[in-house]
Amino acid sequence: MSRIFAILLVACLAGTPAAAKDIRQAHIDLEKQRQAMAVQAEDELARAKAAARENAQAIRRDRQALEAAISRLSAGNKKLKKENQGLEKNILALGTEGDKLRAALEESRAVNKELAGFVRAYAKDLDSLLDQSLQSALTPDREKFLGPLINQERFWSMDDLRRMADTALEEIEASGRVEFRQGPIIDRQGRDRTAKILTLGNFTGIYVLESETGASPETGFLIYSDQSRRFFALSKLPSVQLKDQLDAYLAGDADAVPMDMSRGGALRRFTHELNLAEQVPKGGPIVWPILAILGLALLILLERWVFFLRRRLKVEPFMAEVRRLIDAENWADCETLMAGRKRALIPKVLLKVLPFRDRSRSDMENALQEAILGEIPAIERFLSTLGMLAAIAPLMGLLGTVTGMINTFHVITYYGTGDPRMMSGGISEALVTTMLGLAVAIPIMLCHTLLSRMVETHISRMEEKAVSFVNMVFKARNECRPPEGAAQEG
Amino acid sequence: MQVFFYHMADYVRSGGIVMFPILGVSLVMWVLIFNRVMFLRRLHVRNIPRDEAGKMVRDNLWPDKGLKGANAALVRAFLARRSRVHDPELDNNILDEAVMALNASLDRHLAAISVLSAVAPLMGLLGTVVGMMQTFDVITIFGTGNARAMASGISVALVTTQTGLMISIPGLYMSGWLNRRAANLKQRIAATGMYLKRYLQPGDPIQMKGSTPC
């Protein structure tokens, strides 16, 4: 339509200049032209109308097509919207499911972690158990497979678990078994040796080591060291009594065997046990005077022993012999008999009185008394010294106790009471001196008593025999010279 | 019985090495005590009355062999030494001698018993010290934490002390009792000696069989 207007406009504008030339001609021309143009215009109009009709049709067609497309699209849109709704619902459902699954995953991961922790802890426990078990000395490297599990180098497998359980059961079984087998030990000289080893469960190991020089085999206790997982022979051999018990058990003669329930603690204490010679120097300076007392007492006792040994005499047979000789008034033989035993006390005393045999009773008794008193100092010599030594020795021990306690309190003043080891020097000084004081005093005391008793016996026997001798002499005199009364009567 | 012995052995072992001398002292002491008790009992019981003893001395009769009491022993000791010629003064002295000889035998072992019973608690003390030393050895090695390890030392200390006292107290009692008994007996013998002197008054000389005056 707009094209038609445009053409009309152009035609109007082009007719205007021709009017000026010949208005009639021009008019006719114009008429003609106008007619032509009208025809043309009508043509064009018709064409335009046709075109317009065509266009309108085309437009209509287009419009229909567009409308169809629109309706198609809106239908599609509707469908898609519906689909979308379904999908959204689906997404929501999937989201909740995903959350659920994630929670489940979290849970199972925690469980898994816990289980792994358990397994690791158990592997650690088992490792330390095997570490401390003295069976490990006999079956080396049985805990090697636990290393990766403990260090978490890899995740454990069912095989690992099975192996752990087996090892634990094996250990339980071995810890209740008394077993005899060959095995490597480190002997007391520190050499690697193979010995017969008897293990008493997990408590004690006993070894029998054939000696290289062919002497009798060495039996002793074993110490298990968990650092090196090896058996070491105890540095101190068991006492004879213990060794006999062990040998009897090993030979099958005895049912009981000494064992260490503390897994080596008691055995280690064994090696720290000191004998007397090792203890004595721990007593400090007071020990030496106490030992000097002991030495002095021993010397005195030796001297006394020799003294009485040289003067020993079978008294009753001797007195019987003297009685016989006096009854027979054989004074010369009597004198030689006494002179022959001159070393013994009684003959010596009697020999001194023999020259007085014809004197009065009081003279004889005086002479005897004098002779006995002359002998007494020799008999009693050192007796009081010995008594004094017996009294001094425990006092010395007490002195040592006090000095030891003083040392201990010095230590306490400087270092406090925290470490009993620091104090042990003073305490052992105190105790060793007390022990030595008593150990020295008791035998000296006993010997002193026995000796003083012996001296008393000797003196009283001397006196008794002296009186007996005087009586014998007078009896003999009476029998030779009957009493005056009898003589007068006779 | 076996259980009892087992407990005893256990007890002795828990006392350590000092138990052996203590038990040795106890054994010797009780053997001596038993010996003395029997001896003194015999002197007390199987006796003869004094006047009978006097008659025996006067008539020179020996007491029966079954009589072993103090008076009989005195009479026997006197008669064995008596002079064959009647001399009252000499007999007097001989009687003194017999009393002396008899009294000397009464004191035997008594001093040993009292000393052994006095030594037993000292040995207990020695055991205490030894036990304390063991305890302190343990402390030096293990510290004070290990009470179990210290127990053996402490049991040595206490068991020996206990045993020492257990042995000493009856020993001291018995020694006192025996001493008293011996002193009593000595007095009785001395008194009997004095009494018997009355029967030695000058009188007719007693002619004995086989006496050969020169």
Side-chain angles (χ1 to χ4, degrees), chain A residues 269 272 279 327 361 420-421 427 431-432 435 438 442 446 449 453 464 468 471 474-475 478-480 483, chain B residues 81 83-85 87 90 93-94 97 101 107 115 119 125-126 129 133 136 138-141 143 214:
Chain A
R269 202 171 104 58
H272 292 290
Q279 263 172 2
D327 278 352
R361 184 170 189 103
R421 272 155 246 237
I427 290 173
L431 294 175
V432 167
M435 181 192 78
L438 286 171
I442 291 170
L446 275 176
T449 312
R453 179 71 206 144
E464 183 204 322
S468 174
N471 286 338
F474 273 83
K475 209 159 85 180
N478 271 352
E479 280 170 15
C480 293
Chain B
R81 291 159 207 240
S83 64
R84 272 169 275 179
V85 181
D87 178 355
L90 181 58
N93 286 319
I94 290 174
E97 181 200 327
D107 273 344
V115 146
V119 153
L125 187 57
L126 182 63
V129 177
M133 284 170 69
F136 278 106
V138 170
I139 291 180
T140 317
I141 300 164
C214 22

Side-chain angles (χ1 to χ4, degrees), chain A residues 382-397:
Chain A
F382 299 133
L383 194 65
S384 60
T385 315
L386 202 62
M388 192 187 68
L389 291 180
I392 283 179
L395 286 182
M396 284 292 217

Side-chain angles (χ1 to χ4, degrees), chain B residues 191-210:
Chain B
T192 309
M194 304 293 273
Y195 178 82
L196 290 184
K197 281 181 184 171
R198 285 186 214 160
Y199 290 85
L200 301 175
Q201 292 310 312
D204 297 333
I206 299 161
Q207 284 301 316
M208 282 191 259
K209 281 179 262 172

Side-chain angles (χ1 to χ4, degrees), chain A residues 10-26:
Chain A
V10 170
C12 292
L13 286 175
T16 345
K21 286 177 185 173
D22 186 1
I23 296 178
R24 255 183 18 179
Q25 207 51 54

Side-chain angles (χ1 to χ4, degrees), chain B:
Chain B
M1 201 63 189
Q2 212 171 355
V3 172
F4 174 76
F5 276 123
Y6 178 77
H7 282 301
M8 281 309 287
D10 205 37
Y11 181 79
V12 170
R13 213 175 297 123
S14 69
I17 195 151
V18 187
M19 283 300 267
F20 297 105
I22 293 181
L23 291 179
V25 161
S26 163
L27 184 73
V28 171
M29 191 181 80
W30 280 103
V31 165
L32 291 181
I33 288 176
F34 189 70
N35 171 299
R36 284 295 95 181
V37 166
M38 293 314 287
F39 178 77
L40 293 180
R41 202 178 121 80
R42 209 180 56 204
L43 288 186
H44 260 294
V45 174
R46 295 184 171 174
N47 220 338
I48 46 174
R50 260 191 209 168
D51 49 353
E52 209 171 306
K55 276 178 203 137
M56 280 176 170
V57 166
R58 195 181 57 203
D59 302 339
N60 229 18
L61 292 171
W62 286 74
D64 282 345
K65 281 208 168 151
L67 295 168
K68 287 181 177 169
N71 289 353
L74 184 60
V75 170
R76 235 179 249 127
F78 172 67
L79 290 182
R81 291 159 207 240
R82 182 175 208 178
S83 64
R84 272 169 275 179
V85 181
H86 186 69
D87 178 355
E89 203 189 330
L90 181 58
D91 278 349
N92 238 336
N93 286 319
I94 290 174
L95 194 55
D96 283 343
E97 181 200 327
V99 168
M100 219 176 184
L102 204 54
N103 278 352
S105 70
L106 288 180
D107 273 344
R108 281 182 72 194
H109 302 323
L110 288 183
I113 292 170
S114 69
V115 146
L116 287 177
S117 64
V119 153
L122 281 183
M123 284 185 157
L125 187 57
L126 182 63
T128 311
V129 177
V130 171
M132 289 323 286
M133 284 170 69
Q134 287 183 11
T135 310
F136 278 106
D137 276 346
V138 170
I139 291 180
T140 317
I141 300 164
F142 297 111
T144 49
N146 197 340
R148 248 161 243 245
M150 293 196 283
S152 86
I154 291 172
S155 88
V156 168
L158 297 181
V159 165
T160 48
T161 314
Q162 185 194 21
T163 315
L165 289 176
M166 244 160 56
I167 286 166
S168 155
I169 292 169
L172 277 178
Y173 176 78
M174 288 308 285
S175 134
W177 185 74
L178 286 174
N179 267 323
R180 248 183 301 127
R181 207 145 191 208
N184 192 355
L185 208 55
K186 262 192 231 170
Q187 277 181 355
R188 267 169 67 172
I189 290 172
T192 309
M194 304 293 273
Y195 178 82
L196 290 184
K197 281 181 184 171
R198 285 186 214 160
Y199 290 85
L200 301 175
Q201 292 310 312
D204 297 333
I206 299 161
Q207 284 301 316
M208 282 191 259
K209 281 179 262 172
S211 73
T212 50
C214 22

